């Protein structure tokens, strides 16, 4: 736990990235009385906005508050990983060594820069609920002959935890489905009725939670807006980039983020080996098959397959959940970090105690040595790609320092506008609103869903134009090309904000990346809007 905190402190001074700023800004607006999906719009489910709003209400909106929140959730993940691996190790006759190795490995990987682990994005919070559900399911053990009632309580708890996770991002439903299939396999020997009942109990928590969410937005007159954002739009968003098969292939060959696998390479490589090895170690063959048929060996073999099958299902469900959105953003991959840490640790434990490999004390000690070397290798890679990189350059490769750009331009916006002014950013940069303390002139904080490939874009564009008439912005930062109606509105009502109203690309000085425009009837003081990342070293 100390190692994890020390690792994450290296990035403590970083600004929030655009998605994280969006959660924080919308959280602020919800506290100010705005209505989600109507007054402020995003295509994410409501849980992340509720979390950020609650955090702001309790502790304020300083960047450090959100960093501490992420540290707290990461510590919870670490404890759950330790508990899961320790319980699995005990079942095969091991001790706590692999659990400790898994905890230390996650301490180093928690802030992995390749998967945006050092930030405050949703996957950090989603992992806690997934791991908690996994820990609950690990507690199921027929060998101890628990009552059906107690087993159903555990299953209901696990399902409810995954339901909460799905309120952060709906792809958690895929993790739920993978674990539901495992649950059927596990309970089938007790009868088809028991298996079906277990799955229904597993589904009860998520069903009740989503019924409450649907009911809330229905009763508040926002059901259509909620459904359009969270379901209809997301389906189109997932299919906009590639085919269904292409999404899974893109996981391995995503060209836009070549650095994604580099910093955590020891984990990805070990997981590729561990997944088939764990399957091989848990399939009854030879002597293990004979032991399974004996009364003494049946309970132990069943528990071993139970735990191995559970983590394999969780890994597979997490992999599909990462691929389904159809966009290989680095933070998506962070959903796999905890499952793969558990997978590798469990595989090493089972290898050290496998009859197939010639079970012996020497073999067990050898696997412990492998675990130590693997953990050290993780640290070396994290030191190279994370600890030895200056904080101001951590996000250069991943997002071209967009977090620092948002912070710098927000400071410019705050300098030339008044607190009561509204502003508009034509692009995916809600950090300008969050850091400047200025209200967005439209509900679409990231201008999401306004492009023609997305069904419903016409209505969203009409909404934008209506918003601009209601909250006429004093200042507009044009990052992405405006759609035709907006472009005409800008040409008629706005002018360059001074002589130096253009921000040029750092490495291509003639390329414009932003124009600052001011309301002709309410001009702003003239400043130089051209920002260069070299300013960070000053």
């Amino acid at each position: 736990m100390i190692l994890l905190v020390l690792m994450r402190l290296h990035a403590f001074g970083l600004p929030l990235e655009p998605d994280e700023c969006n959660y924080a800004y919308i959280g602020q607006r919800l506290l100010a009385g705005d209505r989600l999906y109507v007054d402020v719009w995003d295509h994410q489910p409501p849980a992340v906005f509720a979390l950020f709003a609650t955090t702001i209400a309790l502790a304020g909106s300083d960047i450090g508050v959100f960093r501490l929140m992420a540290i707290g959730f990461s510590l919870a993940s670490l404890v759950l990983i330790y508990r899961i691996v320790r319980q699995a190790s005990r079942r095969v006759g091991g001790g706590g060594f692999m659990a400790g190795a898994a905890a230390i490995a996650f301490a180093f990987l928690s802030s992995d820069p390749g998967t945006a682990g050092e930030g405050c994005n949703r996957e950090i919070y989603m992992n806690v609920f997934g791991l908690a559900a996994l820990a609950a399911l690990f507690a199921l053990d027929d060998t101890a002959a628990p009552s059906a009632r107690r087993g159903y309580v555990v299953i209901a708890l696990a399902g409810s935890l995954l339901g909460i996770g799905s309120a952060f991002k709906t792809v958690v439903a895929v993790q739920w489905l993978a674990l539901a299939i495992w649950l059927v396999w596990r309970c089938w020997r007790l009868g088809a009725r028991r298996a079906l009942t277990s799955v229904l109990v597993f589904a009860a928590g998520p069903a009740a939670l989503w019924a409450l969410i649907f009911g809330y937005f229905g009763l508040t007159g926002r059901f259509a807006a909620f459904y359009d954002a969270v379901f209809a739009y997301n389906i189109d968003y997932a299919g906009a980039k590639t085919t269904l098969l292409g999404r899974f292939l893109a996981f391995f060959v995503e060209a836009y983020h070549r650095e994604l696998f580099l910093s955590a390479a020891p984990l990805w490589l070990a997981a590729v080996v561990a997944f088939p090895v764990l399957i091989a170690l848990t399939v009854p063959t030879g002597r293990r098959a004979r032991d399974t048929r004996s009364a003494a060996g049946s309970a132990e073999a069943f528990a071993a397959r139970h735990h191995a099958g559970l983590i394999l299902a969780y890994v597979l469900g997490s992999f599909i959940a990462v691929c389904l959105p159809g966009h290989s953003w680095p933070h998506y991959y962070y959903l796999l970090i905890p499952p793969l840490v558990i997978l590798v640790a469990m595989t090493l434990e089972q290898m050290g105690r496998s009859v197939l490999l010639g079970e012996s004390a020497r073999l067990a000690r050898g696997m412990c040595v492998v675990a130590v070397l693997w953990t050290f290798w993780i640290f070396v890679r994290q030191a190279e790609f994370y600890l030895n990189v200056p904080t101001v350059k951590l996000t250069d490769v991943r997002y071209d320092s967009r977090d620092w750009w948002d912070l710098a331009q927000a400071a410019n916006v705050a300098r030339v506008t008044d607190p009561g002014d509204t502003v508009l950013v034509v692009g995916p940069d809600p950090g300008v609103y969050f850091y400047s303390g200025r209200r967005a002139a439209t509900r679409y904080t990231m201008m999401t869903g306004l492009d023609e490939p997305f069904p419903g874009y016409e209505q969203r564009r009409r909404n934008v134009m209506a918003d601009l008439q209601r909250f006429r912005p004093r200042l507009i930062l044009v990052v992405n090309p405006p759609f035709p109606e907006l472009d005409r509105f800008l040409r008629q009502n706005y002018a360059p904000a001074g002589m130096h109203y253009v921000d040029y690309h750092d490495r291509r000085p003639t390329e414009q990346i932003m124009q600052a425009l001011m309301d002709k009837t309410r001009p702003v003081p003239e400043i130089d809007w051209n920002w260069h990342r070299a300013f960070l070293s000053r």
Side-chain angles (χ1 to χ4, degrees), residues 206-262:
L209 176 64
W210 278 97
L212 288 173
I213 293 174
F214 274 86
Y216 170 74
F217 286 105
L219 291 173
T220 54
R222 290 177 282 162
F223 181 83
F226 159 71
Y227 182 85
D228 175 67
V230 176
F231 294 97
Y233 174 82
N234 274 329
I235 291 173
D236 296 323
Y237 178 79
K241 184 178 179 181
T242 184
T243 63
L244 180 61
L245 178 60
R247 299 173 202 179
F248 295 95
L249 296 177
F251 179 94
F252 302 99
V253 297
E254 177 58 49
Y256 184 66
H257 300 292
R258 293 188 182 92
E259 75 288 348
L260 196 153
F261 296 106
L262 296 180

Side-chain angles (χ1 to χ4, degrees), residues 8-274:
R8 296 192 70 86
L9 285 178
H10 178 59
F12 202 82
L14 274 175
L16 300 179
E17 292 185 352
D19 283 353
E20 299 158 8
C21 286
N22 194 41
Y23 307 146
Y25 172 76
I26 291 180
Q28 288 178 327
R29 295 310 311 165
L30 295 180
L31 292 173
D34 282 359
R35 298 166 297 163
L36 187 58
Y37 308 119
V38 175
D39 300 315
V40 282
W41 191 97
D42 194 84
H43 61 101
Q44 310 302 347
V48 67
F49 306 114
L51 174 65
F52 272 70
T54 302
T55 301
I56 292 170
L58 295 175
S61 58
D62 184 79
I63 296 174
V65 169
F66 304 115
R67 297 282 177 200
L68 289 173
M69 178 176 69
I71 288 176
F73 274 84
S74 298
L75 288 172
S77 290
L78 184 146
V79 171
L80 288 166
I81 288 170
Y82 177 83
R83 177 182 176 85
I84 291 167
V85 178
R86 185 170 178 81
Q87 188 170 356
S89 298
R90 284 176 173 173
R91 179 51 58 189
V92 296
F97 188 89
M98 288 300 174
I104 293 173
F106 181 73
F108 293 142
L109 290 164
S110 168
S111 47
D112 172 53
T115 53
E118 86 291 339
C120 307
N121 229 311
R122 285 177 297 166
E123 285 72 15
I124 292 175
Y125 321 118
M126 294 159 59
N127 279 334
V128 173
F129 296 103
L131 289 168
L134 194 68
L137 293 176
F138 260 83
L140 290 175
D141 186 357
D142 281 346
T143 63
S147 66
R149 180 179 297 178
R150 177 181 179 276
Y152 289 146
V153 169
V154 172
I155 293 171
L157 173 62
S160 299
L161 289 165
L162 288 169
I164 296 172
S166 70
F168 282 85
K169 193 173 184 179
T170 52
V171 293
V172 171
V174 182
Q175 293 176 312
W176 180 94
L177 180 61
L179 295 179
I181 294 172
W182 167 85
L183 195 59
V184 171
W185 167 75
R186 179 189 179 279
C187 296
W188 193 257
R189 73 171 192 168
L190 302 176
R193 182 177 179 180
R194 179 73 177 270
L196 177 60
T197 303
S198 297
V199 171
L200 292 176
V201 170
F202 194 46
L209 176 64
W210 278 97
L212 288 173
I213 293 174
F214 274 86
Y216 170 74
F217 286 105
L219 291 173
T220 54
R222 290 177 282 162
F223 181 83
F226 159 71
Y227 182 85
D228 175 67
V230 176
F231 294 97
Y233 174 82
N234 274 329
I235 291 173
D236 296 323
Y237 178 79
K241 184 178 179 181
T242 184
T243 63
L244 180 61
L245 178 60
R247 299 173 202 179
F248 295 95
L249 296 177
F251 179 94
F252 302 99
V253 297
E254 177 58 49
Y256 184 66
H257 300 292
R258 293 188 182 92
E259 75 288 348
L260 196 153
F261 296 106
L262 296 180
S263 53
L267 176 66
W268 300 111
L269 294 174
V272 169
V273 176

Side-chain angles (χ1 to χ4, degrees), residues 510-522:
T510 59
E511 179 182 328
Q512 298 184 11
I513 63 173
M514 187 204 76
Q515 293 183 357
L517 306 178
M518 61 183 179
D519 188 339
K520 294 178 180 178
T521 64
R522 294 181 296 163

Side-chain angles (χ1 to χ4, degrees), residues 304-388:
R305 291 198 305 276
H306 154 210
H307 288 154
L310 180 55
I311 187 57
L312 289 170
Y314 186 50
V315 169
L316 186 60
S318 300
F319 167 72
I320 298 174
V322 169
C323 296
L324 273 187
H327 297 258
S328 302
W329 297 113
H331 59 89
Y332 290 4
Y333 289 69
Y334 192 78
L335 200 63
L336 270 168
I337 296 293
L340 296 187
V341 168
I342 297 172
L343 170 68
V344 174
M346 284 182 59
T347 303
L348 291 174
E349 185 72 87
Q350 295 225 18
M351 287 178 67
R353 305 180 188 283
S354 171
V355 175
L356 183 66
L357 298 179
E359 180 181 4
S360 68
R362 179 177 296 180
L363 179 62
R365 289 194 296 269
M367 291 301 104
C368 290
V369 172
V370 172
V372 170
L373 294 176
W374 174 65
T375 305
F376 180 72
W377 186 19
I378 289 173
F379 170 73
V380 170
R381 298 292 287 190
Q382 292 296 311
E384 177 183 357
F385 288 92
Y386 177 62
L387 294 179
N388 289 337

